[in-house]
Amino acid sequence: MEMFRGVVVAVVVVLWVCLCGVRYVHGDCRDRPEPQCCTGRDAFCHNYGLRTDNRYGPCYCDEACTSQQDCCRDYNWICIPVDCEVGEWSGWSACTSSCDIGFAERRRRVRKEPKNGGKACPPEVERRGCYAWDARRCDPATDVALLTPAEFSRDQYPDFRPKRVINTRKSYCVFFYMNEVPTTCILHRQAGQWTHALQPRSTVCVECQPAAMDRNGRCSGDGVDDGSTLWKAMGVTGCQGSWLRAEKRDDCNCGDRPGTDFLFV
């Protein structure tokens, strides 16, 4: 009986050793099937063997094992950590606002992504506050452009300004980007008024004819380059707003697009 028990114990010990050998002897990252190393946190990226904390048991070959301190003992030379590498900062951008508080930013590019638990990338964008004031954009001109459709005659407003015969001057055109168009203009458009062409984010052509020019050869309200100025629709109550002058052309006439071109009054 004692001999039988001894045989049983011996068999159990042999089986335990065999099983342990299968489970523990070859249990490093290098013994794993491809991929030997895994990105992020992967509970299936493991083996069994000696860990970096000198404990024996389940060990991991994913990037998270460095923070969990349960990497397989060969992790640091099989799964060599690669730190993130970034380039130099760019110069600071212009302020996002030209008429108020805004921010400027600078950027840098990632040259090498981190791997195997290497150092994470630092921020790629950095911002700082700024304040800017561009008088041409922020201070609207004091004179207001009075508009009438190009197909209208100035004779409809005989008392607004005396007509003068100026033979030596030629018309010029100003192209504006519509910045602000109030809802009153939309209501007038629905009522059939000529303001249908005054729409936000559209571009209009306004002609300055010799009869509307002042002594300096310009029309009131013809604006400044890239600056905010004011306009008002002649004879249409409440239809007024602001625009940005995009371009001025000498010796030019609007009117090629009936219903969408205008005259300075």
Side-chain angles (χ1 to χ4, degrees):
M1 189 66 178
E2 292 296 331
M3 183 179 294
F4 178 74
R5 288 181 179 177
V7 171
V8 171
V9 171
V11 171
V12 171
V13 171
V14 170
L15 290 175
W16 183 85
V17 171
C18 291
L19 290 174
C20 289
V22 171
R23 188 175 181 184
Y24 293 117
V25 172
H26 299 291
D28 295 329
C29 293
R30 65 173 178 271
D31 301 312
R32 279 182 40 77
E34 292 292 337
Q36 293 178 320
C37 309
C38 311
T39 59
R41 186 184 184 91
D42 189 343
F44 296 99
C45 187
H46 70 281
N47 214 329
Y48 297 89
L50 188 63
R51 307 191 316 198
T52 52
D53 60 0
N54 292 322
R55 294 184 179 182
Y56 208 76
C59 62
Y60 293 84
C61 302
D62 61 352
E63 292 179 337
C65 77
T66 56
S67 60
Q68 297 296 318
Q69 297 182 352
D70 55 4
C71 301
C72 294
R73 62 180 177 179
D74 64 346
Y75 178 84
N76 288 332
W77 62 86
I78 296 299
C79 307
I80 300 174
V82 177
D83 295 339
C84 176
E85 292 184 7
V86 294
E88 297 295 327
W89 285 110
S90 67
W92 288 100
S93 69
C95 192
T96 54
S97 174
S98 58
C99 303
D100 205 344
I101 297 174
F103 66 87
E105 66 179 23
R106 61 178 182 175
R107 296 176 176 269
R108 57 185 173 185
R109 293 185 177 182
V110 175
R111 292 179 176 175
K112 184 181 294 184
E113 295 286 349
K115 294 174 58 178
N116 303 327
K119 291 183 180 179
C121 294
E124 299 173 46
V125 181
E126 190 174 68
R127 291 179 175 175
R128 66 181 182 185
C130 57
Y131 177 80
W133 186 267
D134 185 340
R136 294 189 307 167
R137 290 178 177 270
C138 309
D139 291 331
T142 55
D143 53 349
V144 179
L146 297 178
L147 304 181
T148 186
E151 61 266 25
F152 281 19
S153 168
R154 282 178 47 81
D155 292 334
Q156 290 184 270
Y157 309 103
D159 298 329
F160 182 74
R161 181 186 296 157
K163 294 193 67 174
R164 294 173 291 158
V165 178
I166 306 175
N167 297 323
T168 58
R169 294 176 177 174
K170 295 182 179 180
S171 298
Y172 65 85
C173 303
V174 184
F175 294 86
F176 292 96
Y177 176 79
M178 303 300 295
N179 186 29
E180 180 184 359
V181 180
T183 55
T184 51
C185 298
I186 299 175
L187 296 176
H188 284 296
R189 289 203 298 266
Q190 294 173 347
Q193 288 282 11
W194 55 268
T195 56
H196 63 87
L198 299 173
Q199 301 186 32
R201 296 180 296 279
S202 64
T203 302
V204 297
C205 177
V206 187
E207 180 180 341
C208 178
Q209 296 181 338
M213 295 179 182
D214 60 16
R215 295 180 180 180
N216 297 318
R218 63 175 293 269
C219 287
S220 177
D222 64 355
V224 293
D225 289 339
D226 298 321
S228 176
T229 55
L230 305 177
W231 59 267
K232 182 177 181 180
M234 190 69 182
V236 183
T237 304
C239 185
Q240 59 191 32
S242 64
W243 55 16
L244 295 174
R245 189 169 88 173
E247 183 184 3
K248 177 184 176 183
R249 297 180 187 174
D250 295 326
D251 194 9
C252 169
N253 299 100
C254 298
D256 294 336
R257 302 172 299 173
T260 62
D261 294 333
F262 304 91
L263 298 177
F264 288 107
V265 176

